Amino acid sequence: MIALLDDIAGLAKVAAASLDDVAAQSAKAGAKAAGVVIDDAAVTPRYVVGFAAAREVPIVAKIAWGSLKNKLLFLLPGALLLSLFAPWAITPLLMLGGAYLCYEGAEKVWHVVAPHGAGQHEAKLLAPPENPQALEDAKVRGAIGTDFILSAEIMAITLGTLPGLPLWEQAVVLAIVGIGITVGVYGVVALIVKADDAGLAMAAGERPISAVFRRRIGQPSGADLAVRPVTQAIGRGLVVGMPWFLKLLAVVGTAAMVWVGGGIIVHGLASYGLPEVEHAIHGAAIAVADAVPAMAGAVEWLATAAGSGVVGLAVGALLIPVVQLMVSPLIGLLRRESKGHGGAGT
C-alpha cells in the first residue's frame, strides 16, 4: 500500500509538472501571437459600423462564437493533423490565406481611391442584401471569414512554438491560446463599440456615485456634485471622440489585413528558398532603427510592418483583376445555375 501511494504521488508530481509546462507554453505562445491578436482586434470593429446601437453587441457575440468555432472545431484539429501527416501543406495554406487578406485590404484601399469602380466590382461579387437582417448576416459571415485567416495565423504561430511536445500537450496549449485570445479580443471589441453609449450615459448622469449603489432618487449627494463635472466631461469626450476613433480603427484594420497578409507571403517565400524580399525588408528596418536608437525596437517593428504592407498591397492589387476577370464570372455562373436548378425544382 505504501509503495502504491508512493507511485501515485510520483504520478501526481509528473502531472503537475506537465500542467506547469502547458501553462508556460501557453503564455509563451500567446505572447508570440500578440501581433496578430492586435490585428484581429483592429479589424473586427469595422464590421459593426453603421448598425443600430442595440445590434452592436449581438453582432460582436456572433462573430466571437464563429471565431471560437473556427479555432476549436476546424483549426485546432486541422493543425494537429497537418503537423502529423502533412506538415508541408501548412505554408502554402497560410500563403493562400495571406493572399486573401491582401486582396481584402487592397480592395478597401481601392474603394477609397476609386469608389465608383470598387462599388461596381463589389456589386458583381455580392448581391445587395434585401433587408437589414440579410445585411447583418452578410457582415457577420465576412467577419468570420476574415477571422478564420487571422485565427489560422495565430494557431500556426502557436504550433510553431511547441516543437517536441506530446500531441495532447499541443492540443491543450492550442485550445488555451484559442479560447483566451477569442475572449480577450472580442471582449475588448465589445467595450470599444459600446464606449459611445457609456459616454452618453455618463454625460447625462446627475448622480454618478449614487448610481453605482443604485440610488436613483432624491437629491444628488455631495460626492455626486463633486465627481459629476469630471464624469460628464469624460462622457462628452467619449461621445465626441468614439466616431473618430472607430474611423481610425477601420483604417488600422485595413492596414492590418495588408501587413499581416504581406507578412505571411514574405515568410512563405523565404521558406521556399526566396528570402530576398524578407532580407530586403529586414535590412531596411534595421537601417531605419539605427537612425533612431532611442526608439529602435518600435521603429524596426513599424518599418517591418510597412515593408510587409507594401508587399501585401502589391499582391492584393494584382489579385483584384484576377478576381474581377475570373472569380467574379465564375461566381455569377454558379449563381445562375443554382437559381436555374431551384426554379426547375419548384
Side-chain angles (χ1 to χ4, degrees), residues 208-228:
I209 301 299
S210 299
V212 174
F213 299 99
R214 300 186 180 276
R215 298 172 185 165
R216 305 182 185 277
I217 58 175
Q219 293 296 321
S221 66
D224 290 326
L225 295 176
V227 174
R228 185 170 63 191

Side-chain angles (χ1 to χ4, degrees), residues 98-185:
Y100 170 77
L101 288 177
C102 294
Y103 165 75
E104 281 274 297
E107 191 180 40
K108 298 295 181 292
V109 174
W110 185 27
H111 198 282
V112 174
V113 175
H116 180 67
Q120 288 182 336
H121 171 60
E122 188 174 353
K124 288 181 179 180
L125 284 177
L126 300 172
E130 299 175 357
N131 54 60
Q133 185 59 50
L135 176 61
E136 179 178 317
D137 293 341
K139 286 279 189 178
V140 170
R141 285 195 300 271
I144 293 174
T146 301
D147 173 90
F148 187 90
I149 306 302
L150 294 172
S151 294
E153 180 71 358
I154 289 169
M155 300 301 264
I157 291 172
T158 302
L159 194 63
T161 66
L162 310 175
L165 285 185
L167 188 65
W168 75 268
E169 286 192 22
Q170 291 185 13
V172 172
V173 171
L174 286 169
I176 291 173
V177 171
I179 293 171
I181 284 177
T182 302
V183 172
V185 165

Side-chain angles (χ1 to χ4, degrees), residues 313-338:
L313 199 59
V315 171
L318 291 174
L319 287 175
I320 287 175
V322 172
V323 172
Q324 189 169 11
L325 298 176
M326 298 175 62
V327 178
S328 178
L330 180 60
I331 291 175
L333 178 62
L334 292 174
R335 280 181 176 161
R336 286 193 295 270
E337 289 184 355
S338 176

